[in-house]
Each structure stands twice: as structure tokens, then as C-alpha cells.
Amino acid sequence: MSADKPIYVTQPFLPPLDDFIPYLREIWDAKVLTNGGPFHQRLEAALVEHLGIKHLSLFTNGTLGLLTALQTLQVTGEVITTPYSFAATAHSVMWNNLTPVFADIDPITCNLTPESIEQAITPRTTAIMPVHCYGTPCDVDRIQQIADTHGLKVIYDAAHAFGVRYRGESLLNHGDLSVLSFHATKVYTTLEGGAIVCADAATKKRIDHLKNFGFANEVTVLAAGINGKMNEVQAALGLLQLTHVDRLIARRAQIASLYDEGLRSLDGIRLPFRLPDTQPNHSYYPIFIGSGFPVGRDAVYARLREQSVYARRYFYPLLSDMPMYRDLPSAAPEHLPHAAKAAREVLCLPIYPALPDDDVMRVIELIRSCRAG
Ligand code: T4K
């Protein structure tokens, strides 16, 4: 452990290179590089099995997954979503020429509240796009009830929720569609990548057409689709990564326990929320630094940076404060008080499988030392 060695908020796990060479050799020999080749097919099947879901369609990244999910369900008008997320959530709505309508979050779970969703419904609303923020399950039952009552589609942005199980089954089985991200910063990565999860074969077929420019066969184009296909090298890496992911999540759980232990006694700091009946993936370790702590969040953030610890303020700024959204009526700060508070107080601490215990202790000590001013 050295004070100069940078500690980032995350670092991807990569398997030993030698383990990947046979996969590469197979691709080099077959010369099938993309367009739904054998590794693509194998990974889709393996993920369906591993995650306990019905159907999955691989994508180039999570953002194209979100864009295509909205196209798949032919969403129009307004989409109710959260301001407390990564830019891709609202941007995917915008790129479909739809209007994002921001609703407030629960101060503890950081997920959209059913009440705020209901209040945001207008005659133009056709869909809800909640985020399972940090992998914490949304209130899926009440959101489904609202959707059923008002005839709305539900697309979960499940970018943080790989492998999360809720009440004994995959969280991804809720809503019309769920969208995963396999970006380098995620629990499970294919470098860049993502997927749409759906419940029936007909919907998967439509998604598969849409991610391949709309082609159904050589001469039939069914829709103005896009190129969202994952290539064979990434799909092969995904297969190999899958053999490690349970162990990686278990190591994340150990790190989370160390943080819990070291930070629990600090007044003014709230630790990550854990929903009962949930098997989490520990994709993030967000703490919330409130007014009861002697210094503010940004002071802690700066102090850590001085010591080369690069914690991150996910999610600050709010989407509703970004220039392309802030003039929307739903972006008014007084409409989103809980999201604003979370964005002011949150700090995501480093968590990734290769992070040594010593470094976790160093981060804890640095935060504790902030109390001295
Ligand atoms: N919806 C939600 C709710 C999301 O959070 C995201 C993505 C999406 C949708 C979209 O999914 P994708 O289209 O990305 O599949 C990162 C990621 O780029 C982004 O995927 C992620 N959310 C977001 C929360 O975080 P940045 O700008 O903070 O990443 P960056 O480059 O600063 O990386 C953070 C740290 O990770 C670095 O300081 C070091 C480490 N790192 C990063 C990369 C890229 C590595 O060690 N190796 C690497 O290759 O956005």
C-alpha cells in the first residue's frame, strides 16, 4: 500500500490472457467475426441460463440497448424516468424524439417512487423507464400496477443489476423489458456490451431484427433498425467472464462488509441501502454524507483525491440539471428535492474484486480523518 498508488472507483476484472487464447484461436480459424456467430449464440444461451430469465438479446452497449428497447415497444410521447442516473438513461429517450419526464426518487432506495410516477402521468405518457439504481430493486409490484392501470410500458434500465435476485428470482424478470450494461466499469463486462431481456420469443425476434438494421432476411427489411450487434471476440470474452462472475461478486460482498464495519459508527454518513429478500451484486458502494458529518461531500471527495483515491459522485449532476433537460417543466429543482439531496450527498467508494483489504482500510481511514477538518 502506498499513498501515491491511485485507487479508482472501479477496475475491470480480466481473466488470465492464456485462458482467452483458445477462444481467439477458434474465432481466427472460423473467420466468423460478427452478425450473430457461434459465440454470440452461445453467450445468449449461457446468460439466459445463468441469470434465470426467458430471453436475452446481446448488444454493442447498454445505451443502444435502451434506444432499441424504446423502439421495440414503439413508445411515443412522454417517458417517465429518474433524474438520478447516468446520462444514457434520459439520452436514450431524447434520441427517440420522445420527452423525458422526471419524477422524484425515494431518499433511501434512490429509485423512482410509485407516487411520483403517478403524479407525472399525462395523456401523452406511454412508458416508464425506472433505473434499479446501484442494483437495488425498484418497487416492481407497484410500478407494474401503475403501468397496468394506465396502459403504460415498463422498461427497466438494469445497467447496474446484473445477477441481482429479488424474492428468489432474477430481478430482470420484471417489466416489459430490462436493459443490462456490460461496460468495463460493470460487475460483469465484455469490455463494452449490453443486452435486452424480454419474456417471449416474438419480442426477442423483433429486438434481433432491430439490432440488425431491421433485416429479417437477405431481402426483407422490417423496420428502420440500427447496428447494435455484439461481435464474436466480445461474446467469447463474455463466456469466459461468466465462469468467474459469482466469485467476483462474492469478493465485492467482502469489501462491502469491510466498509460497513469501518464506517458504520460515523455520525452523518449513511451507508448503502440493502433491500430485504434481495441478493445484491455490490456493483457500487454509495455513501451519503449529510449535514451531521463535520465536512461536506465535496470536501471528502477532494481529500480522497489529494491522496489519489478517485471516488465518484454517481449521480451528480442530476440529469435534470444538464443543459439539454433543465428547461423541461419536470426538471424544476423544487419538483425533485430527494434527487437533489442525494446528488449533493452521494460518494461512491472504490469497490472491485482486485481491491486489496489494505486499500479498503486506507479509504476508510481517510474518510474518518476528514472529521478532524
Ligand atoms: N444506464 C445506467 C444507469 C448506467 O449507469 C449506464 C452506464 C448506462 C445506462 C449505459 O450503459 P453503457 O452504454 O455504458 O453500456 C461510467 C461508464 O462509462 C458507464 O458505462 C456507466 N454507466 C457509468 C456509471 O460510469 P464514467 O465516465 O464514470 O467512466 P470512467 O471512464 O470515468 O471510468 C471510471 C473508472 O473506472 C476510471 O476512473 C478507472 C476505471 N476504468 C474505466 C475504464 C473505462 C478502468 O479501470 N478501465 C476502463 O477501461 O462512466
Side-chain angles (χ1 to χ4, degrees):
M1 180 180 68
S2 116
D4 296 320
K5 190 189 77 177
I7 303 178
Y8 296 105
V9 67
T10 188
Q11 188 186 77
F13 166 82
L14 287 171
L17 191 54
D18 284 350
D19 292 356
F20 194 43
I21 298 296
Y23 291 76
L24 288 177
R25 193 158 286 127
E26 212 174 312
I27 295 168
W28 259 238
D29 287 347
K31 297 187 175 50
V32 177
L33 306 184
T34 185
N35 287 5
F39 280 109
H40 185 282
Q41 290 172 32
R42 278 171 64 188
L43 182 58
E44 286 195 347
L47 284 169
V48 163
E49 170 79 23
H50 180 93
L51 294 169
I53 55 177
K54 300 247 170 50
H55 298 276
L56 172 145
S57 190
L58 290 170
F59 270 79
T60 320
N61 56 58
T63 305
L64 276 171
L66 288 171
L67 281 168
T68 308
L70 288 159
Q71 288 280 325
T72 304
L73 301 179
Q74 296 176 312
V75 171
T76 59
E78 295 177 357
V79 179
I80 297 170
T81 192
T82 170
Y84 191 74
S85 184
F86 189 61
T89 310
H91 286 1
S92 68
V93 175
M94 194 79 139
W95 271 60
N96 272 290
N97 254 327
L98 305 167
T99 308
V101 174
F102 296 114
D104 206 5
I105 59 168
D106 178 274
I108 305 296
T109 66
C110 292
N111 287 332
L112 281 177
T113 63
E115 296 76 19
S116 72
I117 293 173
E118 259 185 323
Q119 281 162 17
I121 295 172
T122 75
R124 297 189 65 227
T125 310
T126 63
I128 312 168
M129 187 184 273
V131 176
H132 297 299
C133 194
Y134 311 127
T136 302
C138 289
D139 192 339
V140 289
D141 292 340
R142 288 182 64 200
I143 290 175
Q144 194 57 54
Q145 263 170 21
I146 294 170
D148 292 343
T149 304
H150 297 271
L152 309 177
K153 302 290 186 195
V154 182
I155 298 171
Y156 281 107
D157 179 337
H160 303 173
F162 185 94
V164 174
R165 295 182 70 77
Y166 181 47
R167 299 185 303 212
E169 65 157 326
S170 172
L171 178 60
L172 306 170
N173 287 332
H174 293 277
D176 293 284
L177 302 173
S178 294
V179 180
L180 290 162
S181 166
F182 305 151
H183 183 259
T185 56
K186 297 294 191 280
V187 164
Y188 167 82
T189 182
T190 56
L191 311 184
E192 292 268 6
I196 303 182
V197 175
C198 66
D200 63 279
T203 306
K204 170 160 165 58
K205 202 168 187 180
R206 177 162 173 78
I207 295 167
D208 287 344
H209 291 155
L210 282 170
K211 79 174 186 191
N212 187 27
F213 314 96
F215 279 106
N217 58 43
E218 233 176 278
V219 292
T220 316
V221 186
L222 294 175
I226 201 157
N227 183 357
K229 294 168 275 105
M230 180 181 279
N231 68 56
E232 287 290 281
V233 174
Q234 286 175 270
L237 179 64
L239 271 179
L240 185 52
Q241 294 284 52
L242 209 48
T243 64
H244 294 276
V245 71
D246 288 345
R247 181 177 56 80
L248 301 178
I249 290 175
R251 171 61 190 150
R252 283 173 175 274
Q254 285 174 348
I255 293 170
S257 299
L258 285 176
Y259 278 134
D260 288 350
E261 199 58 36
L263 299 172
R264 184 175 289 136
S265 61
L266 296 188
D267 287 342
I269 290 193
R270 186 159 58 81
L271 301 186
F273 174 72
R274 309 260 162 70
L275 191 70
D277 226 353
T278 302
Q279 197 177 306
N281 64 7
H282 303 283
S283 47
Y284 295 85
Y285 194 92
I287 61 168
F288 297 84
I289 301 168
S291 53
F293 198 67
V295 296
R297 185 275 312 273
D298 287 337
V300 178
Y301 170 79
R303 166 97 180 114
L304 292 177
R305 277 185 85 91
E306 273 164 27
Q307 299 297 315
S308 306
V309 175
Y310 298 96
R312 292 293 289 268
R313 292 166 292 189
Y314 298 131
F315 290 99
Y316 165 85
L318 292 179
L319 301 178
S320 49
D321 287 334
M322 294 180 181
M324 64 297 290
Y325 303 116
R326 65 180 166 220
D327 292 334
L328 292 170
S330 67
E334 61 272 19
H335 174 66
L336 307 164
H338 295 309
K341 186 164 187 284
R344 269 197 312 274
E345 295 186 348
V346 71
L347 194 61
C348 287
L349 302 183
I351 185 163
Y352 53 90
L355 185 66
D357 286 3
D358 279 357
D359 285 359
V360 179
M361 301 318 285
R362 188 176 139 216
V363 176
I364 292 169
E365 278 318 310
L366 281 169
I367 294 170
R368 297 183 77 89
S369 72
C370 290
R371 289 176 304 173

